[in-house]
Amino acid sequence: MIVIKVGIIEDNEYMREGWETFIDYEDDLTVIGSFGSCEEAFESEEINKVDLVIMDIGLPGMTGIEGVKYMREHHPDVNIIMATVHDDDDHIFDALKAGAVGYLMKKVTPDEMVEAIRNAQDGGSPITPNIARKVIATFQKAADLEEELSEREIQILKELATGRSYAAIGKKIFLSVDGVRHHIRNIYQKLEVHTRSEAIAKGINQRLINPNSD
């Protein structure tokens, strides 16, 4: 039987010990390192032996988001599940973008935590249902925005991101300056923004444009 070696990074001692107790109770799981901070974990030898880490976001010193980035750089084969009280969009997407494979609320049951560990190690992405709903809603919103913007408007939004003036944009796409302004007003209205920088930021965030493309 393959035993999954788990590390825990959580500053709440009682929660950390609770997780350790019920994880160790399972025959196929074992906690080989339990730490109160990322700094403590990364200085230990045990972190080099783990298959999976359960990590809080709100940690003293290095945050959980920074901890995920460190793990991705130094231990890319280790799966990381965030276990946190934070359910706002910024924390969720920062953690997932940093490289976490799962995102759980701390109120999950022991059985749910154990199943999440097995799921993550088996190639899955365990996410608490209300968090999954937020992720889906974000992608649906992005899809709705893309449908709302016409091809011409997306083209102009891409040109805005290059820093070109309205006149330069009009010259490139064979449109008058007034025509460019008209489309930009529509873009601002549809994206619910008021400035060029806000429009570009939202376009990138919603994946309507790629700032690295030509």
Side-chain angles (χ1 to χ4, degrees), residues 114-187:
V114 166
E115 182 58 31
I117 292 170
R118 291 174 179 145
N119 185 359
Q121 204 58 22
D122 197 36
S125 294
I127 299 179
T128 300
N130 70 307
I131 300 299
R133 185 179 289 271
K134 284 176 175 282
V135 173
I136 291 169
T138 298
F139 282 107
Q140 287 175 338
K141 185 176 180 181
D144 290 343
L145 281 174
E146 192 161 10
E147 289 174 7
E148 282 184 25
L149 292 184
S150 67
E151 288 185 16
R152 190 63 148 175
E153 287 164 350
I154 290 176
Q155 181 186 26
I156 290 173
L157 184 57
K158 289 177 180 177
E159 294 300 326
L160 280 177
T162 67
R164 290 189 175 94
S165 67
Y166 289 6
I169 292 172
K171 184 175 181 180
K172 182 174 181 182
I173 65 175
F174 306 105
L175 194 65
S176 69
V177 173
D178 285 341
V180 171
R181 287 198 182 98
H182 171 75
H183 283 299
I184 289 174
R185 280 196 296 270
N186 288 339
I187 291 169

Side-chain angles (χ1 to χ4, degrees), residues 5 19 39 47 49 60 67 72 83 86 90 134 149 187-188:
K5 297 184 288 294
W19 290 348
E39 288 85 349
I47 202 68
K49 306 170 187 175
R72 288 270 63 82
H86 298 289
D90 287 344
K134 284 176 175 282
L149 292 184
I187 291 169
Y188 285 7

Side-chain angles (χ1 to χ4, degrees), residues 189-209:
Q189 184 176 5
K190 290 178 180 180
L191 294 182
E192 299 179 345
V193 298
H194 301 94
T195 66
R196 176 194 287 244
S197 60
E198 287 177 354
I200 294 168
K202 196 158 191 178
I204 294 170
N205 185 52
Q206 301 295 351
R207 300 186 179 183
L208 299 177
I209 58 174

Side-chain angles (χ1 to χ4, degrees), residues 22-86:
F22 67 71
I23 290 172
D24 270 337
Y25 182 78
E26 303 296 320
D27 292 339
D28 61 333
L29 307 178
T30 182
V31 176
I32 64 170
S34 186
F35 315 97
S37 69
C38 287
E39 288 85 349
E40 181 187 350
F42 300 154
E43 289 173 1
S44 74
E45 286 299 319
E46 282 78 11
I47 202 68
N48 299 314
K49 306 170 187 175
V50 299
D51 300 311
L52 179 143
V53 171
I54 300 166
M55 188 183 301
D56 188 13
I57 287 181
L59 294 166
M62 184 184 292
T63 68
I65 303 296
E66 294 168 334
V68 175
K69 293 177 181 177
Y70 178 94
M71 289 296 295
R72 288 270 63 82
E73 181 178 349
H74 296 88
H75 305 280
D77 295 331
V78 175
N79 288 313
I80 302 168
I81 298 175
M82 309 309 292
T84 177
V85 297
H86 298 289

